[in-house]
Amino acid sequence: MARFSFRGFVYVLIVMLGLLSAAPNILPQSIKQQLPTWYTTSTLSLGLDLQGGSHLLLAADTNALFEKQLNSFSSDLLSELRSQNVRYTKTSHSLTHKDSRSGSIVFTLRSADDARKVKDTAYQISAQPNGSSALDVEIKQSTVTLTLNELYTEQLVKDTLSRSVEVVRKRLNETGLTEPSVTLQGKDAILVQMPGMSEPTQVKKLLGTTAQMTFHWAANSQSEQVMNKQDAAGNTYRLEQKVALEGEHITDAAGVLSSENGQPVVTFRLDSAGAKQFATMTRDNIGRVLAIVLDDKVVTAPVINSVIPGGRGEITGNFTLPEAGNTALMLRTGALPVPLTIIEERTVGPDLGSDAIQTGVESGVAGALLVLAFMVAIYGRWGAIASFALCINMALVFGALTLFGATLTLPGIAGLILTMGMAVDANILINERIREESKKGRPAASAIEVGFDKAFATIVDSNFTTLIAVSLLFMFGSGPIKGFAITIALGLVSSVFTAVALTKMLMLRVVKSKHKNTQDRAQQRVPLRFSSPLLRLSDKLSGINFLAKRKIALAVSVVLTVLSIGLFAKPGLHYGVDFTGGTMIELTAPTLTTDELRNVIESNGFDQIAIQEYGSEHHYLLRAPVLDSSGELENSNAKQTDALKRAISQADSEVSFDKIDMVGPKVSGGFAELSILALLIAGGGMLVYLWARFEAHFASAALLTVILDLTKTIGFFALTGIEFNLTAVAALLALIGYSINDKVVVLDRIRELLRLDPNKPLADTINEAVNSTLSRTVFTSVTTLLALLPMAIFGGDAVESFAVPMVFAVVIGTSSTLFITSTLLYLLGSRREKQGKAQLKPTAEEIKASLSHIP
């Protein structure tokens, strides 16, 4: 009794911690004011798709970074070689974009005897703190090839991106944006999220500008390496390639009006080291032209007439006052160490975000209420206990999300709804097991204990296989898809606790309290009663021969799969911009008809844009293909989108741009590859797990059935024309998890019956297993459908690619569990019998027992 009480205390403690973590999300402001700030501020943040805002994915141009470093090292090396009287002839300088080290510099020695000097000098000038060299030197027949060391480039990219994140964050903070989020994504990208910003044009200019400022002397007869640079007017300047002073010495800058002519200028101040160097430079070079180069453009090139002490200077140019202010901001916050290119942009208007919250909450609440009501309708008070555990489960999920600082997105809400539908499966499985034990005459407490014990392994197996698919969503997904994966994963783990631990404790409490004052021992041995119209109806659904029409069932499934493959080929999937790249704009133009909008677009030269009415009147969807195969949106689609928005705004001053998605080919190509990889790994991972937990033919039957389910769902996408995007990939992975979950329950029962009577005909065993789990299969499918249907009907376009296919997938997955998995297992098992093999490998206990009979 003491042990059970302690366990109950631990359970209650976990629940209380979860509820306390979730509470700040729903507490009224009047109560929050009386609580500590550290507690009340720990709430779920809303994703951009719920509160509106902009999301930019910036890719680092590592080739430019590598070129700069290689030029710097080679320049120092060649200069040192000249001082050592090593003679050479420079032959080539190439950049190879496919090479992670991006290029090489080649020169030829006049004397092969100097090879050792070259290697020693290269090591000296490029030695790193860890003792390695940044340069790789290859010498063949007096030809020297310089490349950057691979380990050095990896560390260089890592350090550069870390510095870039800080520069981007400083620039955004100085603009006054509310809580911008800047994080690394992948190996060479930076993700910028700006809540509440629906017009990021100005920010894009700030982030797309490197603000690398350098000082160069005009070239003369003594200059060794020369480069040509132009100013804004197109004038060309011959400058020394060597940097006279780096812009990193700038400590402060401001955009002001010049006291001399009233024109906007940028004033700057150098740090002490820079000021000293600047004074020395100007003293030794009076009469020379000093060019200030900002992002590869000459902004000013004055003649130095006297020494400039104090480290203060002024940049003149054709600035407007806002441009001078932006330039000063970038110089203050530091130059980006590497150019950043916008390869993905997504913008959601605040109105669309608030609508998404409303529809998400309403469909979620409706789905939850339907599920809870259905559970009570099936199992009565035991269903009420399960419903209470489900509510605790959802509260724990919210608490965990809050504790981890997660961001709630619309796909995340979809994940919560799906989690509730799938979490019911464990409760139904347990109740069905308890019902079976009660029918055998077991007393109430004993039926609960045995029922939970028998259901536990099945629950773990089914949930673990689902977690395999979900983990891949997290590994390969991005943004909202990761939120969807985290939500389902937390929900599954939490549901195991609430179903197996909390529900069991509550059911035993109810039983013991009922018989607490009962002295009659016979009364204490009365089995539990489960009585409802739905259960009586399900009990009549027994004795069905699911294998009787196995050939027809398998033929129909294969035909539907072949048709689905045909639909995939033609008309094919309606891919979203996640996979095709390009631009998609949702807008509301209250004063423009479709024809008027088309005329506005075509008259401004946008002849590649497709227009369709979308949803309500005056609501339109515009699609534009990728214009730049390089994937640089800033140079193509981004400019097109900005120009298009200006043209439409001039035609309709009341227009609102509800949502903008721009995806470059680099990103879209990556999405396609990762999606295929995720599906393949999901299938492989589940096969390995099932192979380890079951027999080979069990795993093969389950996986083959899931493949058939998957192809039919892809055919459903092609037939209905529902957009195939990242949310659709989430639906496919969720389908894999759900479908395999369904199959594992039946396979587990077949294995159990084979252990009990291995000599029973395989067909009879399979039919008995499918019939004995039929109630669970049907009830689980119905509860999942009840959770999904409100979202599919009322959830809107944002979750259409997930909710509608999932409804189809639940129906097709349930039917395949009953008819296709059983058929495939029968065919594979019969083949195994003909080969003289047992259906199951002997357990450790069976092997031990057989060995004990050997004398």
Side-chain angles (χ1 to χ4, degrees), residues 210-255:
T210 311
Q212 288 184 332
M213 181 172 159
T214 52
F215 297 77
H216 298 262
W217 292 111
N220 55 29
S221 59
Q222 297 179 347
S223 301
E224 296 178 353
Q225 291 178 308
V226 179
M227 62 181 183
N228 292 324
K229 296 293 180 182
Q230 291 185 331
D231 60 15
N235 301 313
T236 301
Y237 296 81
R238 291 185 74 250
L239 306 175
E240 289 186 352
Q241 186 172 342
K242 183 179 180 180
V243 176
L245 180 69
E246 293 280 1
E248 63 187 23
H249 291 290
I250 295 176
T251 59
D252 194 17

Side-chain angles (χ1 to χ4, degrees), residues 265-285:
V265 296
V266 178
T267 61
F268 64 88
R269 179 165 54 88
L270 301 173
D271 60 19
S272 57
K276 183 177 180 180
Q277 183 180 347
F278 197 52
T280 303
M281 285 169 47
T282 55
R283 182 193 64 203
D284 297 342
N285 291 275

Side-chain angles (χ1 to χ4, degrees), residues 530-551:
F530 291 84
S531 179
S532 72
L534 289 174
L535 288 179
R536 289 194 292 270
L537 177 62
S538 69
D539 288 338
K540 293 180 181 179
L541 298 175
S542 59
I544 301 174
N545 188 347
F546 288 96
L547 295 176
K549 304 294 183 181
R550 59 182 179 274
K551 294 182 180 180

Side-chain angles (χ1 to χ4, degrees), residues 777-836:
T777 301
V778 173
F779 289 155
T780 297
S781 299
V782 171
T783 52
T784 307
L785 286 174
L786 289 175
L788 288 170
L789 278 173
M791 182 168 52
I793 297 172
F794 306 110
D797 303 308
V799 293
E800 179 188 47
S801 297
F802 173 82
V804 176
M806 274 304 298
V807 170
F808 172 82
V810 169
V811 175
I812 207 74
T814 302
S815 60
S816 69
T817 298
L818 300 176
F819 296 99
I820 307 304
T821 303
S822 57
T823 296
L824 290 174
L825 183 60
Y826 174 74
L827 294 176
L828 294 173
S830 299
R831 180 186 175 189
R832 193 179 179 92
E833 285 181 350
K834 290 178 182 179
Q835 295 173 344

Side-chain angles (χ1 to χ4, degrees), residues 429-460:
L429 191 59
I430 290 167
N431 276 292
E432 289 299 308
R433 280 291 195 176
I434 294 173
R435 270 219 308 152
E436 290 177 16
E437 298 305 318
S438 297
K439 288 180 180 178
K440 296 176 183 177
R442 284 188 182 275
S446 176
I448 291 173
E449 292 283 359
V450 174
F452 271 90
D453 289 343
K454 288 187 174 182
F456 181 74
T458 306
I459 292 171
V460 171

Side-chain angles (χ1 to χ4, degrees), residues 26-253:
I26 59 173
L27 287 176
Q29 192 61 35
S30 57
I31 296 179
K32 284 185 177 182
Q33 292 175 353
Q34 302 175 25
L35 297 173
T37 305
W38 62 264
Y39 176 67
T40 56
T41 54
S42 179
T43 59
L44 272 174
S45 56
L46 298 179
L48 299 183
D49 55 350
L50 293 178
Q51 63 172 317
S54 294
H55 149 131
L56 300 175
L57 188 63
L58 309 170
D61 184 359
T62 53
N63 286 316
L65 173 66
F66 297 152
E67 180 182 10
K68 178 182 177 182
Q69 292 301 116
L70 186 57
N71 281 335
S72 176
F73 282 129
S74 65
S75 178
D76 292 343
L77 173 62
L78 295 177
S79 177
E80 183 63 27
L81 291 178
R82 286 193 300 273
S83 69
Q84 298 179 24
N85 293 319
V86 174
R87 302 303 175 189
Y88 62 88
T89 302
K90 188 172 180 181
T91 57
S92 69
H93 179 181
S94 64
L95 289 178
T96 307
H97 290 276
K98 294 180 181 179
D99 186 351
S100 63
R101 287 177 282 174
S102 191
S104 61
I105 289 180
V106 181
F107 60 92
T108 303
L109 295 174
R110 294 186 181 179
S111 173
D113 295 337
D114 291 327
R116 173 51 57 188
K117 286 185 179 180
V118 171
K119 287 194 173 183
D120 291 344
T121 305
Y123 176 79
Q124 291 172 6
I125 67 167
S126 67
Q128 300 300 300
N130 61 3
S132 65
S133 172
L135 284 176
D136 282 339
V137 181
E138 182 181 357
I139 302 178
K140 291 183 179 179
Q141 298 178 349
S142 300
T143 299
V144 182
T145 303
L146 302 177
T147 55
L148 292 177
N149 179 271
E150 189 170 357
L151 291 177
Y152 170 75
T153 57
E154 289 177 0
Q155 188 60 44
L156 179 64
V157 170
K158 184 178 179 181
D159 294 342
T160 301
L161 281 176
S162 296
R163 285 188 287 130
S164 298
V165 166
E166 291 306 313
V167 172
V168 169
R169 185 177 288 117
K170 286 178 181 177
R171 289 187 185 181
L172 292 177
N173 287 338
E174 289 224 10
T175 63
L177 282 176
T178 305
E179 298 181 0
S181 170
V182 184
T183 55
L184 285 174
Q185 181 155 313
K187 294 182 179 179
D188 62 350
I190 297 173
L191 177 64
V192 177
Q193 292 182 304
M194 299 165 287
M197 172 166 282
S198 57
E199 184 48 68
T201 303
Q202 192 63 28
V203 171
K204 286 192 293 182
K205 290 181 181 178
L206 283 178
L207 302 184
T209 303
T210 311
Q212 288 184 332
M213 181 172 159
T214 52
F215 297 77
H216 298 262
W217 292 111
N220 55 29
S221 59
Q222 297 179 347
S223 301
E224 296 178 353
Q225 291 178 308
V226 179
M227 62 181 183
N228 292 324
K229 296 293 180 182
Q230 291 185 331
D231 60 15
N235 301 313
T236 301
Y237 296 81
R238 291 185 74 250
L239 306 175
E240 289 186 352
Q241 186 172 342
K242 183 179 180 180
V243 176
L245 180 69
E246 293 280 1
E248 63 187 23
H249 291 290
I250 295 176
T251 59
D252 194 17

Side-chain angles (χ1 to χ4, degrees), residues 463-530:
N463 283 348
F464 193 84
T465 51
T466 304
L467 281 173
I468 292 176
V470 170
S471 64
L472 291 170
L473 275 177
F474 181 80
M475 290 169 59
F476 298 109
S478 62
I481 301 302
K482 282 184 180 286
F484 172 81
I486 292 173
T487 301
I488 291 186
L490 289 174
L492 289 174
V493 173
S494 177
S495 69
V496 172
F497 165 72
T498 54
V500 174
L502 187 62
T503 305
K504 181 179 179 180
M505 183 185 73
L506 293 174
M507 292 183 77
L508 287 173
R509 284 283 185 184
V510 169
V511 169
K512 290 184 178 182
S513 63
K514 180 179 179 181
H515 300 305
K516 185 176 181 180
N517 299 321
T518 302
Q519 300 298 323
D520 187 354
R521 292 185 177 272
Q523 184 65 27
Q524 294 179 8
R525 292 194 295 270
V526 173
L528 289 174
R529 293 187 61 188
F530 291 84

